[in-house]
Amino acid sequence: MTISSTPSYPQYQKQEVVTPIPAHTPHAVSVCLPTWADNIAYEEGEPRIHSAMKSGYPRFCIHYNIKKLMSYCESKFAVEQESSMIFSTRRVAKRCRGFINKFYEFSEGEATPRIAEFTILPPAKSSYKPVTLQVVLFPKNAFPFAKSFWQHAGDGISSRLAEHCLFLLKEKEREEQNSRELIPKATQGNRHYNRGGFSGRASKGENRAEVEQEEKEVETYFEERYGRNLDVQYANQAKIFLRRRIAGVLNTENDGSDATADGERGIQGISENDVFLYPTGMSAIFHSHDTLLQTLPPQKSVCFGFPYVDTLKILQKFGPGCHFYGNGEEKDLDELEQLLESGEKILALYCEFPGNPLLKTPNLKRIRQLADKYEFAVVVDETVGNFVNVRVLEWADIVVSSLTKIFSGDSNVMGGSLVLNPHGRYYEQLQATLKQDYEDLMWSEDAIFLERNSRTFKQRIHKVNHHTETLCDFLASHPKVVKIFYPKYNMRESYDSFKSPEGGYGGLFSIILESEEAAIQFFDHLECAKGPSLGTNFTLVCPYTILAHYTELDWASQYGISRFLVRVSVGLECPEHLLKVFKEALDQITV
């Protein structure tokens, strides 16, 4: 399959604030925040932003389909002053309940959280299977704590699963009404993409014509994009293909045969049995930590380098705690070595390769030497680097990744992966733990979308590498750019020592301009998509520190994360177009 130089969404068009990115994509994982002020308003909870939001990045903003399902479950199971969270397995629900019990201070008279099991039966003559949900019910005041678990652990149900449940509930309601002959028999319509939700009607305050038009556009988008409805019976096969593709042993983009012995990761003996799928990238990180805690003596872990926000929260809140070395440089390794030499034991060291947003690359070879000497595991998050560009599995015990990002590219599905190094020190123990403990939490339709999206993974990365390097070369010499963070320019020797033979420097970079005022002018005039997430097939920009660390800006600045840093994820647009729009935005800086 060939990839053209034009993006999947060929012409950038301005979108209204808090509309999905891409537009008319009901399961989009980004949301439009087109100005600097909009991003601050989002962080400060301004009604003009939050009252209009139906979806956003799924771990931070609960999708409207999930909210509808939560409301239905609360009407069925909750008592007065109770809220809910919905999960797909009992074990995850119990973790959420335990998290609330640990961190929430109950007022007198408030009941402790409880779990209701809810099985949704399909219509009698349909081919659908029952879906069983686990509903955690808790005091309304505890909702922020339940939401924190949802965000940190990444194990919440997907919007597609919620949509399917709402569809089953509606069809069951129709079946019951028909059996009572209260209404004429209704036409089912599109089985997989019925956008009526539970009610099938415009909600209060919505214009019915607008809702119907939006549903029509959504259906057209999917039919044009995929040609036919997806059949969930292929989900298991899709997951096998996904695991082989992630292991680097898929021979071609379209079949399931094995590749060469070493595969694309440069590791002999690896197979799909070493790959575990999760509903989000953060879920993969959470379960790597949980698996290590069950496998090895529970100790504090190390977070090395400035991490994605929830990685540090997981290591701090789940288990014995965390040592944090936020700069991720050689002097930090010196300090860590002194700590270990003093007798301190650690469970694991977590790092990103490269980091986000400063694109620093840790010295994995030295980390591996320390791990072998002092007996701890190494977990590397390769989301930004990805295994087409860098080979890090050899130096790690576990490699995790967010499949939501460039592996998918289409910004319409969540997913995560955990890969075990088959030659790692703890391989057999970790395999044994996962064999006993692993739960497949990835919803079938999400797996199908993810498999289809990722068929062009390698070709897209090579194009993105080239486009990003071209753009960064221009920006690095521009007089209004004070600093650029990109592996080609900072810590390059470390990155190059792990770069694969055909690899590049990736599609992510960050820039610092002269002042916050300059950053605002640049950002507001930049003609491209603006919102959270990265690795999309279209260029996506955000004021990273504002979005990720708004309540801890001073803390982030200690590690070189400027409050006016702008992060850019480059897409498939042709380089000439990117150079033009970035130059025009820089020209608008007048301060």
Side-chain angles (χ1 to χ4, degrees), residues 20 181 187 254 290 333 393 399 408 546 568:
E181 297 183 347
T187 302
N254 294 309
D290 187 64
L333 284 178
L393 183 58
V399 167
S408 167
I546 296 296
V568 181

Side-chain angles (χ1 to χ4, degrees), residues 149-310:
F149 176 83
W150 177 285
Q151 176 181 324
H152 298 332
D155 280 344
I157 64 168
S158 81
S159 55
R160 284 190 179 86
L161 173 52
E163 178 183 65
H164 180 70
C165 291
L166 293 169
F167 168 76
L168 291 182
L169 288 169
K170 183 62 180 177
E171 292 302 294
K172 194 66 176 176
E173 178 187 293
R174 286 176 176 172
E175 181 183 60
E176 292 172 355
Q177 288 176 334
N178 289 337
S179 68
R180 294 192 299 267
E181 297 183 347
L182 294 178
I183 60 172
K185 187 172 182 180
T187 302
Q188 287 190 17
N190 187 314
R191 294 165 70 97
H192 286 283
Y193 297 114
N194 184 323
R195 299 296 165 195
F198 176 67
S199 69
R201 297 182 293 273
S203 61
K204 185 177 181 180
E206 291 182 311
N207 182 289
R208 182 178 179 83
E210 290 178 357
V211 171
E212 290 177 348
Q213 176 62 25
E214 181 177 342
E215 292 174 356
K216 183 178 180 181
E217 289 171 345
V218 165
E219 184 174 334
T220 300
Y221 171 82
F222 278 108
E223 289 301 313
E224 289 179 352
R225 181 73 174 84
Y226 295 101
R228 63 179 178 84
N229 290 333
L230 302 177
D231 194 331
V232 296
Q233 69 175 306
Y234 298 114
N236 289 337
Q237 189 66 32
K239 289 179 181 179
I240 292 172
F241 279 21
L242 281 171
R243 288 162 51 217
R244 290 182 180 176
R245 189 167 293 143
I246 294 161
V249 297
L250 201 60
N251 192 42
T252 72
E253 294 299 327
N254 294 309
D255 69 40
S257 58
D258 290 339
T260 59
D262 287 1
E264 294 168 354
R265 290 184 176 271
I267 295 287
Q268 289 188 344
I270 190 171
S271 75
E272 69 264 27
N273 295 325
D274 299 318
V275 178
F276 300 83
L277 299 176
Y278 293 91
T280 64
M282 200 49 59
S283 173
I285 293 172
F286 175 85
H287 286 281
S288 71
H289 185 234
D290 187 64
T291 299
L292 287 166
L293 285 172
Q294 293 185 58
T295 304
L296 304 177
Q299 310 284 352
K300 286 185 176 181
S301 290
V302 166
C303 184
F304 189 78
F306 197 84
Y308 183 68
V309 56
D310 287 304

Side-chain angles (χ1 to χ4, degrees), residues 301-308 312 315-316 322-333 335-336 349-352 354-362 485 491 549 555-561:
S301 290
V302 166
C303 184
F304 189 78
F306 197 84
Y308 183 68
L312 181 58
L315 300 181
Q316 291 173 334
C322 174
H323 302 284
F324 180 46
Y325 297 88
N327 290 307
E329 298 173 350
E330 287 299 310
K331 63 180 180 179
D332 295 300
L333 284 178
E335 292 180 15
L336 173 60
L349 182 147
Y350 279 74
C351 63
E352 299 174 1
N356 174 18
L358 298 185
L359 286 302
K360 290 183 176 180
T361 50
F485 300 97
M491 304 182 75
H549 300 286
W555 172 81
S557 69
Q558 299 176 51
Y559 304 101
I561 315 296

Side-chain angles (χ1 to χ4, degrees), residues 431-447:
Q431 272 282 18
T433 301
L434 284 164
K435 183 177 181 180
Q436 178 177 345
D437 191 63
Y438 175 72
E439 291 185 300
D440 183 357
L441 302 176
M442 182 178 283
W443 174 238
S444 56
E445 285 185 285
D446 293 320

Side-chain angles (χ1 to χ4, degrees), residues 511-571:
I511 58 173
I512 301 290
L513 301 171
E514 186 64 38
S515 64
E516 187 165 11
E517 292 76 16
I520 292 170
Q521 289 180 352
F522 167 75
F523 182 83
D524 288 356
H525 286 94
L526 191 59
E527 293 289 330
C528 65
K530 285 174 273 191
S533 197
L534 58 92
T536 48
N537 290 339
F538 48 89
T539 297
L540 185 62
V541 184
C542 73
Y544 178 81
T545 318
I546 296 296
L547 272 182
H549 300 286
Y550 189 70
T551 61
E552 48 190 16
L553 293 172
D554 292 338
W555 172 81
S557 69
Q558 299 176 51
Y559 304 101
I561 315 296
S562 166
R563 67 174 291 137
F564 52 92
L565 177 145
V566 177
R567 192 189 71 181
V568 181
S569 174
V570 176

Side-chain angles (χ1 to χ4, degrees), residues 84-102:
S84 70
M85 279 286 178
I86 304 173
F87 302 96
S88 58
T89 72
R90 189 79 172 180
R91 189 181 301 172
V92 178
K94 289 172 72 174
R95 286 195 191 103
C96 179
R97 181 177 64 184
F99 186 88
I100 297 170
N101 284 331
K102 179 178 180 180

